[in-house]
Amino acid sequence: MKGLGTNEEEIIDVLTSHSLDQRLVVRDRYKLAFGRDLLEDLKDELGGNFEDVCLALLTQPRTYDAQWLKKAMDGIGTKERVLIEVLLPQSNENIEGIKEAYKELSEGEDLEERVISETSGHFQRILVSQLQAARGEIAEVDDEAATTDAQQLFDAGEGTWCTDESVFNKILASRNLGQLQAIFQAYKEIADKDIEEAITSETTGDLEDAYMTIVKYAKEPAVYFAEVLHDAMYGAGTDDDTLQRVIIGHSEVDMYEIRMAYLEKYEKSLTDAVADDVSGDYGKILVKLIGTPDS
């Protein structure tokens, strides 16, 4: 950024060739060396989606999540889809980190209280349940308990005239991912159909989206995120917010698995899909974060 013009290529190279921990060190040393804040200088020099990605890469992950939640609930209307995508596919540890980061960003405001004020009904309840960070984390699977839970889900949904969403909330928000997989398999044996079909027939709107997110994430996390990315690019225009959120959030976590899932499901590399959909420095930095094309 020194001299005539800004060297975007060098910015891309520095930000994508270092890990998050290294980038945070660069941010601190930049201030030490120049007496200026790197984020503020980037804001002055860059713009648009490219700026958003660069700033995000210099932000702690849970703070980044909290920023999206705050943005989704500030102003007129609430972006429920953002609440679903940010909160539901998270570990207990990440949820606790998001709550702390949100409190810092919002001058002490409690995330749970804010979510309650912005949502309602059973959709509100599944989000609040998730915010308790009480999902089981023991890896063992109890097949007998899975059958019991599957029967409860059937009795609360297709087995009754009036769906009891509280049963769905309790099970979907508290069981570990392996246990949920066993429950879904047991449900199929009991109902002779997948749990997704039951959710689609018994719920609608944001609650349906929330339940389906938990189910898809529990079954195959990489496939779930591959689908989210595909939908962000092949809907009515590019959903840049979702594209950035998933790629940045998973670039150092499970991007390889997501790339492979995308290739298998859509017979096209994720790298090529993103390169075809977005361009310029914004496209270049996203492609770098995704990594080597798969074939």
Coordinates of all heavy atoms in Angstrom, one line a residue, residues 194-271:
D194 N -37.0 -41.2 4.9 CA -36.0 -40.4 5.5 C -36.6 -39.3 6.4 O -37.7 -38.8 6.2 CB -35.1 -39.7 4.4 CG -34.3 -40.7 3.7 OD1 -33.9 -41.7 4.3 OD2 -34.0 -40.5 2.5
I195 N -35.8 -38.9 7.4 CA -36.2 -37.9 8.3 C -36.5 -36.5 7.6 O -37.4 -35.8 7.9 CB -35.2 -37.7 9.4 CG1 -35.7 -36.7 10.5 CG2 -33.9 -37.2 8.9 CD1 -36.8 -37.2 11.3
E196 N -35.7 -36.3 6.5 CA -35.9 -35.1 5.7 C -37.3 -35.0 5.1 O -37.9 -33.9 5.1 CB -34.9 -35.0 4.5 CG -33.5 -34.8 5.0 CD -32.7 -36.1 5.1 OE1 -33.3 -37.1 5.5 OE2 -31.5 -36.1 4.8
E197 N -37.9 -36.1 4.7 CA -39.2 -36.2 4.1 C -40.2 -35.8 5.2 O -41.2 -35.1 5.0 CB -39.6 -37.5 3.6 CG -38.8 -37.9 2.3 CD -39.1 -39.3 1.8 OE1 -40.3 -39.4 1.4 OE2 -38.3 -40.2 1.9
A198 N -40.0 -36.3 6.4 CA -40.9 -36.0 7.5 C -40.8 -34.5 7.9 O -41.9 -33.9 8.1 CB -40.5 -36.8 8.7
I199 N -39.6 -33.9 7.9 CA -39.5 -32.5 8.2 C -40.2 -31.7 7.2 O -40.9 -30.7 7.5 CB -38.0 -32.1 8.3 CG1 -37.4 -32.8 9.6 CG2 -37.8 -30.6 8.4 CD1 -35.9 -32.7 9.7
T200 N -40.0 -32.0 5.9 CA -40.7 -31.2 4.8 C -42.2 -31.3 4.9 O -42.9 -30.3 4.7 CB -40.2 -31.8 3.5 OG1 -38.8 -31.6 3.4 CG2 -40.9 -31.0 2.3
S201 N -42.7 -32.4 5.3 CA -44.2 -32.6 5.4 C -44.8 -32.0 6.7 O -45.9 -31.6 6.7 CB -44.6 -34.1 5.3 OG -44.1 -34.8 6.4
E202 N -43.9 -31.9 7.7 CA -44.5 -31.5 9.0 C -44.2 -30.0 9.4 O -44.8 -29.5 10.3 CB -43.9 -32.4 10.1 CG -44.3 -33.9 10.0 CD -45.8 -34.1 10.2 OE1 -46.4 -33.3 11.0 OE2 -46.4 -34.9 9.5
T203 N -43.2 -29.4 8.7 CA -42.8 -28.0 9.1 C -42.7 -27.2 7.8 O -42.6 -27.7 6.7 CB -41.5 -28.0 9.8 OG1 -40.4 -28.6 9.0 CG2 -41.6 -28.8 11.1
T204 N -42.6 -25.9 8.0 CA -42.4 -25.0 6.9 C -41.5 -23.8 7.3 O -41.2 -23.6 8.5 CB -43.8 -24.4 6.5 OG1 -44.4 -23.7 7.6 CG2 -44.8 -25.4 6.0
G205 N -41.1 -23.0 6.3 CA -40.4 -21.8 6.6 C -39.1 -21.9 7.3 O -38.3 -22.9 7.0
D206 N -38.8 -21.0 8.2 CA -37.5 -20.9 8.9 C -37.3 -22.1 9.7 O -36.2 -22.6 9.9 CB -37.4 -19.7 9.7 CG -37.4 -18.4 8.9 OD1 -36.9 -18.4 7.7 OD2 -38.0 -17.4 9.3
L207 N -38.4 -22.7 10.3 CA -38.2 -23.8 11.2 C -37.8 -25.0 10.3 O -36.9 -25.8 10.7 CB -39.5 -24.1 11.9 CG -39.5 -25.3 12.9 CD1 -38.5 -25.0 14.0 CD2 -40.9 -25.6 13.5
E208 N -38.4 -25.2 9.2 CA -38.0 -26.3 8.3 C -36.6 -26.1 7.9 O -35.8 -27.1 7.9 CB -38.9 -26.3 7.0 CG -38.5 -27.4 6.0 CD -39.3 -27.3 4.7 OE1 -40.2 -26.5 4.7 OE2 -39.0 -28.0 3.8
D209 N -36.2 -24.9 7.5 CA -34.8 -24.7 7.1 C -33.8 -25.0 8.3 O -32.7 -25.6 8.1 CB -34.6 -23.2 6.7 CG -35.2 -22.9 5.4 OD1 -35.6 -23.8 4.7 OD2 -35.4 -21.7 5.2
A210 N -34.2 -24.6 9.5 CA -33.3 -24.9 10.7 C -33.2 -26.4 10.9 O -32.1 -26.9 11.1 CB -33.9 -24.2 11.9
Y211 N -34.3 -27.1 10.9 CA -34.2 -28.6 11.1 C -33.4 -29.3 10.0 O -32.6 -30.1 10.3 CB -35.6 -29.2 11.1 CG -36.4 -28.9 12.4 CD1 -37.8 -29.2 12.4 CD2 -35.9 -28.3 13.5 CE1 -38.5 -29.0 13.6 CE2 -36.6 -28.1 14.6 CZ -38.0 -28.4 14.7 OH -38.7 -28.2 15.8
M212 N -33.6 -28.8 8.8 CA -32.9 -29.5 7.6 C -31.4 -29.2 7.7 O -30.6 -30.0 7.3 CB -33.5 -29.0 6.3 CG -34.9 -29.5 6.0 SD -35.0 -31.2 5.7 CE -34.5 -31.3 4.0
T213 N -31.1 -28.0 8.2 CA -29.7 -27.7 8.3 C -29.0 -28.6 9.3 O -27.9 -29.1 9.1 CB -29.5 -26.2 8.8 OG1 -29.9 -25.3 7.7 CG2 -28.0 -25.9 9.1
I214 N -29.6 -28.8 10.5 CA -29.1 -29.7 11.5 C -28.9 -31.1 10.9 O -27.9 -31.8 11.1 CB -29.9 -29.7 12.8 CG1 -29.9 -28.3 13.4 CG2 -29.4 -30.8 13.7 CD1 -30.8 -28.2 14.6
V215 N -30.0 -31.6 10.2 CA -30.0 -33.0 9.7 C -28.9 -33.1 8.7 O -28.1 -34.1 8.7 CB -31.3 -33.3 9.1 CG1 -31.2 -34.6 8.3 CG2 -32.4 -33.4 10.2
K216 N -28.8 -32.2 7.7 CA -27.8 -32.3 6.6 C -26.4 -32.2 7.2 O -25.5 -32.9 6.8 CB -28.0 -31.2 5.6 CG -29.3 -31.5 4.7 CD -29.4 -30.4 3.7 CE -30.6 -30.6 2.8 NZ -30.8 -29.6 1.8
Y217 N -26.2 -31.3 8.1 CA -24.9 -31.1 8.7 C -24.5 -32.4 9.5 O -23.3 -32.8 9.5 CB -24.8 -29.9 9.6 CG -23.5 -29.7 10.3 CD1 -22.4 -29.3 9.6 CD2 -23.4 -29.9 11.7 CE1 -21.2 -29.1 10.3 CE2 -22.2 -29.7 12.4 CZ -21.1 -29.3 11.6 OH -19.9 -29.1 12.3
A218 N -25.4 -32.9 10.3 CA -25.1 -34.1 11.0 C -24.7 -35.3 10.2 O -23.9 -36.1 10.5 CB -26.3 -34.5 11.9
K219 N -25.4 -35.4 9.0 CA -25.2 -36.6 8.1 C -23.8 -36.5 7.4 O -23.0 -37.4 7.5 CB -26.3 -36.7 7.1 CG -27.6 -37.3 7.6 CD -28.6 -37.5 6.5 CE -29.8 -38.3 7.0 NZ -30.7 -38.6 5.9
E220 N -23.6 -35.3 6.7 CA -22.4 -35.2 6.0 C -22.0 -33.7 5.9 O -22.5 -32.9 5.0 CB -22.6 -35.7 4.5 CG -22.8 -37.2 4.4 CD -23.0 -37.6 3.0 OE1 -24.0 -37.4 2.4 OE2 -22.0 -38.2 2.4
P221 N -21.2 -33.2 6.9 CA -20.9 -31.8 7.0 C -20.3 -31.2 5.7 O -20.7 -30.1 5.2 CB -19.8 -31.7 8.1 CG -20.1 -32.9 8.9 CD -20.6 -34.0 8.0
A222 N -19.4 -31.9 5.0 CA -18.8 -31.4 3.8 C -19.8 -31.3 2.7 O -19.8 -30.3 1.9 CB -17.6 -32.3 3.4
V223 N -20.7 -32.2 2.6 CA -21.7 -32.1 1.6 C -22.7 -31.0 1.8 O -23.1 -30.3 0.9 CB -22.5 -33.5 1.5 CG1 -23.7 -33.3 0.5 CG2 -21.6 -34.6 1.0
Y224 N -23.0 -30.8 3.1 CA -23.9 -29.7 3.5 C -23.3 -28.4 3.0 O -23.9 -27.5 2.4 CB -24.1 -29.6 5.0 CG -24.6 -28.3 5.5 CD1 -26.0 -27.9 5.2 CD2 -23.8 -27.4 6.1 CE1 -26.5 -26.7 5.6 CE2 -24.3 -26.2 6.6 CZ -25.6 -25.8 6.3 OH -26.1 -24.6 6.7
F225 N -22.0 -28.1 3.3 CA -21.4 -26.8 3.0 C -21.2 -26.7 1.4 O -21.2 -25.6 0.9 CB -20.0 -26.7 3.7 CG -20.2 -26.4 5.2 CD1 -19.8 -27.3 6.1 CD2 -20.8 -25.2 5.6 CE1 -20.0 -27.0 7.5 CE2 -21.0 -24.9 6.9 CZ -20.6 -25.8 7.9
A226 N -20.9 -27.9 0.8 CA -20.9 -27.8 -0.7 C -22.2 -27.4 -1.3 O -22.2 -26.6 -2.2 CB -20.5 -29.2 -1.2
E227 N -23.3 -27.9 -0.7 CA -24.6 -27.5 -1.2 C -24.9 -26.0 -0.9 O -25.4 -25.3 -1.8 CB -25.7 -28.3 -0.5 CG -25.7 -29.8 -1.0 CD -26.7 -30.6 -0.3 OE1 -27.3 -30.1 0.7 OE2 -26.9 -31.8 -0.6
V228 N -24.4 -25.5 0.2 CA -24.6 -24.1 0.6 C -23.9 -23.2 -0.4 O -24.4 -22.2 -0.9 CB -24.2 -23.8 2.0 CG1 -24.1 -22.3 2.3 CG2 -25.1 -24.5 3.0
L229 N -22.6 -23.6 -0.8 CA -21.9 -22.8 -1.7 C -22.5 -22.9 -3.1 O -22.5 -21.9 -3.8 CB -20.4 -23.4 -1.8 CG -19.5 -23.1 -0.6 CD1 -18.3 -23.9 -0.6 CD2 -19.2 -21.6 -0.5
H230 N -22.9 -24.0 -3.5 CA -23.6 -24.2 -4.8 C -24.8 -23.3 -4.9 O -25.0 -22.6 -5.9 CB -23.9 -25.6 -5.1 CG -24.5 -25.9 -6.5 ND1 -25.9 -25.8 -6.7 CD2 -23.9 -26.1 -7.6 CE1 -26.1 -26.1 -8.0 NE2 -24.9 -26.3 -8.6
D231 N -25.6 -23.3 -3.9 CA -26.8 -22.5 -3.9 C -26.5 -21.0 -3.9 O -27.2 -20.2 -4.5 CB -27.7 -22.8 -2.7 CG -28.3 -24.2 -2.7 OD1 -28.3 -24.8 -3.8 OD2 -28.8 -24.7 -1.7
A232 N -25.4 -20.6 -3.3 CA -25.0 -19.2 -3.3 C -24.6 -18.7 -4.6 O -24.7 -17.5 -4.9 CB -23.8 -19.0 -2.3
M233 N -24.1 -19.6 -5.5 CA -23.6 -19.2 -6.8 C -24.7 -19.4 -7.9 O -24.6 -18.7 -8.9 CB -22.4 -20.0 -7.2 CG -21.2 -19.6 -6.3 SD -19.6 -20.5 -6.8 CE -19.9 -22.1 -6.1
Y234 N -25.6 -20.4 -7.7 CA -26.5 -20.7 -8.8 C -27.9 -20.4 -8.5 O -28.8 -20.9 -9.2 CB -26.3 -22.2 -9.1 CG -25.0 -22.5 -9.8 CD1 -23.9 -22.9 -9.0 CD2 -24.8 -22.3 -11.1 CE1 -22.6 -23.1 -9.5 CE2 -23.5 -22.6 -11.7 CZ -22.5 -23.0 -10.9 OH -21.2 -23.2 -11.5
G235 N -28.2 -19.5 -7.6 CA -29.5 -19.0 -7.4 C -29.7 -17.8 -8.3 O -29.1 -17.6 -9.3
A236 N -30.6 -16.9 -7.8 CA -30.9 -15.6 -8.5 C -29.8 -14.6 -8.2 O -30.0 -13.8 -7.3 CB -32.3 -15.1 -8.1
G237 N -28.7 -14.7 -8.9 CA -27.6 -13.8 -8.6 C -26.7 -14.4 -7.5 O -27.1 -15.3 -6.7
T238 N -25.5 -14.0 -7.4 CA -24.5 -14.5 -6.5 C -24.8 -14.0 -5.1 O -24.9 -12.8 -4.8 CB -23.1 -14.2 -6.8 OG1 -22.8 -14.6 -8.2 CG2 -22.1 -14.8 -5.9
D239 N -24.9 -14.9 -4.1 CA -25.0 -14.5 -2.7 C -23.6 -14.4 -2.1 O -23.0 -15.4 -1.6 CB -25.8 -15.6 -1.9 CG -26.0 -15.3 -0.5 OD1 -25.4 -14.3 0.0 OD2 -26.8 -16.0 0.2
D240 N -23.0 -13.2 -2.3 CA -21.6 -13.0 -1.9 C -21.4 -13.2 -0.4 O -20.4 -13.7 0.1 CB -21.2 -11.6 -2.3 CG -21.1 -11.5 -3.8 OD1 -20.2 -12.2 -4.4 OD2 -21.8 -10.7 -4.4
D241 N -22.4 -12.8 0.4 CA -22.3 -13.0 1.9 C -22.1 -14.4 2.2 O -21.1 -14.7 3.0 CB -23.5 -12.4 2.6 CG -23.7 -10.9 2.5 OD1 -22.7 -10.3 2.1 OD2 -24.7 -10.4 3.0
T242 N -22.9 -15.3 1.7 CA -22.7 -16.7 2.0 C -21.5 -17.3 1.4 O -20.8 -18.1 2.1 CB -24.0 -17.5 1.5 OG1 -25.1 -17.0 2.1 CG2 -23.8 -19.0 1.7
L243 N -21.1 -16.9 0.2 CA -19.9 -17.3 -0.4 C -18.7 -17.0 0.5 O -17.8 -17.9 0.7 CB -19.8 -16.7 -1.8 CG -18.9 -17.3 -2.8 CD1 -19.4 -18.7 -3.2 CD2 -18.9 -16.5 -4.1
Q244 N -18.6 -15.8 0.9 CA -17.5 -15.3 1.8 C -17.5 -16.1 3.1 O -16.5 -16.6 3.6 CB -17.6 -13.8 2.0 CG -17.4 -13.0 0.8 CD -17.6 -11.5 1.1 OE1 -17.4 -11.0 2.2 NE2 -18.1 -10.8 0.1
R245 N -18.7 -16.2 3.7 CA -18.8 -16.8 5.1 C -18.3 -18.2 5.1 O -17.5 -18.6 6.0 CB -20.3 -16.7 5.5 CG -20.4 -16.4 7.0 CD -21.8 -16.0 7.3 NE -22.9 -16.7 6.6 CZ -23.8 -16.1 5.9 NH1 -23.8 -14.8 5.8 NH2 -24.7 -16.8 5.3
V246 N -18.7 -19.0 4.1 CA -18.3 -20.4 4.1 C -16.9 -20.6 3.7 O -16.1 -21.3 4.3 CB -19.2 -21.2 3.1 CG1 -18.8 -22.7 3.1 CG2 -20.7 -21.1 3.6
I247 N -16.4 -19.9 2.7 CA -15.0 -20.1 2.2 C -14.0 -19.6 3.2 O -13.1 -20.3 3.6 CB -14.8 -19.4 0.9 CG1 -15.6 -20.1 -0.2 CG2 -13.3 -19.3 0.5 CD1 -15.6 -19.4 -1.6
I248 N -14.3 -18.4 3.8 CA -13.4 -17.9 4.8 C -13.4 -18.7 6.1 O -12.4 -19.1 6.7 CB -13.7 -16.4 5.1 CG1 -13.4 -15.5 3.9 CG2 -12.9 -15.9 6.3 CD1 -14.0 -14.1 4.0
G249 N -14.6 -19.1 6.5 CA -14.8 -19.8 7.7 C -14.2 -21.2 7.7 O -13.9 -21.8 8.7
H250 N -14.1 -21.8 6.5 CA -13.6 -23.2 6.4 C -12.3 -23.4 5.6 O -11.8 -24.5 5.5 CB -14.7 -24.0 5.7 CG -15.9 -24.1 6.5 ND1 -16.2 -25.2 7.4 CD2 -17.0 -23.3 6.6 CE1 -17.3 -25.0 8.0 NE2 -17.9 -23.9 7.6
S251 N -11.7 -22.3 5.2 CA -10.4 -22.3 4.5 C -9.3 -23.1 5.2 O -8.5 -23.7 4.6 CB -10.0 -20.9 4.0 OG -9.7 -20.1 5.2
E252 N -9.3 -23.0 6.5 CA -8.2 -23.6 7.3 C -8.8 -24.8 8.1 O -8.1 -25.3 9.0 CB -7.5 -22.6 8.2 CG -6.8 -21.6 7.4 CD -6.0 -20.6 8.3 OE1 -5.5 -21.0 9.3 OE2 -6.0 -19.4 8.0
V253 N -10.0 -25.2 7.9 CA -10.7 -26.2 8.7 C -10.9 -27.5 7.9 O -10.3 -28.5 8.2 CB -12.0 -25.7 9.3 CG1 -12.6 -26.7 10.2 CG2 -11.8 -24.4 10.1
D254 N -11.8 -27.4 7.0 CA -12.2 -28.6 6.2 C -12.4 -28.3 4.7 O -13.3 -28.9 4.1 CB -13.4 -29.3 6.8 CG -14.6 -28.3 7.0 OD1 -14.4 -27.1 6.7 OD2 -15.6 -28.8 7.4
M255 N -11.7 -27.4 4.2 CA -11.9 -27.0 2.8 C -11.6 -28.1 1.8 O -12.3 -28.3 0.8 CB -11.1 -25.7 2.5 CG -11.3 -25.2 1.0 SD -13.1 -24.9 0.6 CE -13.4 -23.5 1.7
Y256 N -10.6 -28.9 2.1 CA -10.3 -30.1 1.2 C -11.6 -31.0 1.1 O -12.0 -31.4 0.0 CB -9.1 -30.9 1.7 CG -8.9 -32.1 0.9 CD1 -8.3 -32.0 -0.3 CD2 -9.3 -33.4 1.4 CE1 -8.1 -33.2 -1.1 CE2 -9.1 -34.5 0.6 CZ -8.5 -34.4 -0.6 OH -8.3 -35.6 -1.3
E257 N -12.2 -31.3 2.3 CA -13.3 -32.2 2.3 C -14.5 -31.5 1.5 O -15.2 -32.2 0.8 CB -13.7 -32.5 3.7 CG -12.8 -33.5 4.4 CD -11.6 -32.8 5.0 OE1 -11.5 -31.5 4.9 OE2 -10.7 -33.4 5.6
I258 N -14.7 -30.2 1.7 CA -15.7 -29.5 1.0 C -15.5 -29.5 -0.5 O -16.4 -29.7 -1.3 CB -15.9 -28.1 1.5 CG1 -16.4 -28.1 3.0 CG2 -16.9 -27.3 0.7 CD1 -16.3 -26.8 3.7
R259 N -14.2 -29.3 -0.9 CA -13.9 -29.3 -2.3 C -14.2 -30.7 -2.9 O -14.8 -30.8 -4.0 CB -12.4 -29.1 -2.5 CG -11.9 -27.6 -2.4 CD -10.6 -27.3 -3.1 NE -9.7 -28.4 -3.2 CZ -8.6 -28.5 -2.5 NH1 -8.3 -27.6 -1.6 NH2 -7.7 -29.5 -2.7
M260 N -13.8 -31.8 -2.3 CA -14.1 -33.1 -2.8 C -15.6 -33.4 -2.8 O -16.0 -34.0 -3.8 CB -13.3 -34.1 -1.9 CG -11.8 -34.0 -1.9 SD -11.1 -33.9 -3.6 CE -11.5 -35.5 -4.2
A261 N -16.3 -33.0 -1.8 CA -17.8 -33.2 -1.8 C -18.4 -32.4 -3.0 O -19.3 -32.9 -3.6 CB -18.3 -32.8 -0.5
Y262 N -17.9 -31.2 -3.2 CA -18.5 -30.4 -4.3 C -18.2 -31.1 -5.7 O -19.1 -31.2 -6.5 CB -17.9 -29.0 -4.3 CG -18.6 -28.0 -5.2 CD1 -19.5 -27.1 -4.6 CD2 -18.4 -27.9 -6.5 CE1 -20.2 -26.2 -5.4 CE2 -19.1 -27.0 -7.3 CZ -20.0 -26.2 -6.8 OH -20.7 -25.3 -7.5
L263 N -17.0 -31.5 -5.8 CA -16.6 -32.2 -7.1 C -17.5 -33.4 -7.4 O -18.0 -33.6 -8.5 CB -15.2 -32.5 -7.1 CG -14.6 -33.2 -8.3 CD1 -14.7 -32.3 -9.5 CD2 -13.2 -33.7 -8.1
E264 N -17.7 -34.2 -6.3 CA -18.4 -35.5 -6.5 C -19.9 -35.2 -6.7 O -20.5 -35.8 -7.6 CB -18.3 -36.3 -5.2 CG -19.0 -37.6 -5.3 CD -18.8 -38.5 -4.1 OE1 -18.0 -38.1 -3.2 OE2 -19.5 -39.6 -3.9
K265 N -20.5 -34.2 -6.1 CA -21.9 -33.9 -6.2 C -22.2 -33.2 -7.5 O -23.3 -33.4 -8.1 CB -22.4 -33.1 -5.0 CG -23.9 -32.9 -5.0 CD -24.3 -32.2 -3.7 CE -25.8 -32.1 -3.6 NZ -26.6 -33.4 -3.6
Y266 N -21.4 -32.2 -7.9 CA -21.7 -31.4 -9.1 C -20.8 -31.6 -10.3 O -21.0 -30.9 -11.3 CB -21.6 -29.9 -8.6 CG -22.6 -29.6 -7.5 CD1 -22.1 -29.4 -6.2 CD2 -24.0 -29.6 -7.7 CE1 -23.0 -29.1 -5.2 CE2 -24.8 -29.3 -6.7 CZ -24.4 -29.1 -5.4 OH -25.2 -28.9 -4.3
E267 N -19.9 -32.5 -10.2 CA -19.0 -32.9 -11.3 C -18.3 -31.6 -11.9 O -18.1 -31.5 -13.1 CB -19.8 -33.6 -12.4 CG -20.4 -34.9 -11.9 CD -21.1 -35.7 -13.0 OE1 -21.4 -35.0 -14.0 OE2 -21.3 -36.9 -12.8
K268 N -17.9 -30.8 -11.0 CA -17.1 -29.6 -11.3 C -16.4 -29.1 -10.1 O -16.9 -29.2 -9.0 CB -18.1 -28.4 -11.8 CG -17.4 -27.2 -12.2 CD -18.4 -26.1 -12.7 CE -17.7 -24.9 -13.3 NZ -18.7 -23.9 -13.9
S269 N -15.1 -28.7 -10.3 CA -14.4 -28.3 -9.1 C -14.9 -27.0 -8.5 O -15.4 -26.2 -9.2 CB -12.9 -28.1 -9.5 OG -12.7 -26.9 -10.2
L270 N -14.8 -26.9 -7.2 CA -15.3 -25.7 -6.5 C -14.5 -24.5 -7.0 O -15.0 -23.4 -7.2 CB -15.2 -25.9 -5.0 CG -15.5 -24.7 -4.1 CD1 -17.0 -24.3 -4.4 CD2 -15.3 -25.1 -2.7
T271 N -13.2 -24.7 -7.2 CA -12.3 -23.6 -7.7 C -12.9 -23.1 -9.0 O -13.0 -21.9 -9.2 CB -10.9 -24.1 -7.9 OG1 -10.4 -24.7 -6.7 CG2 -10.0 -23.0 -8.3

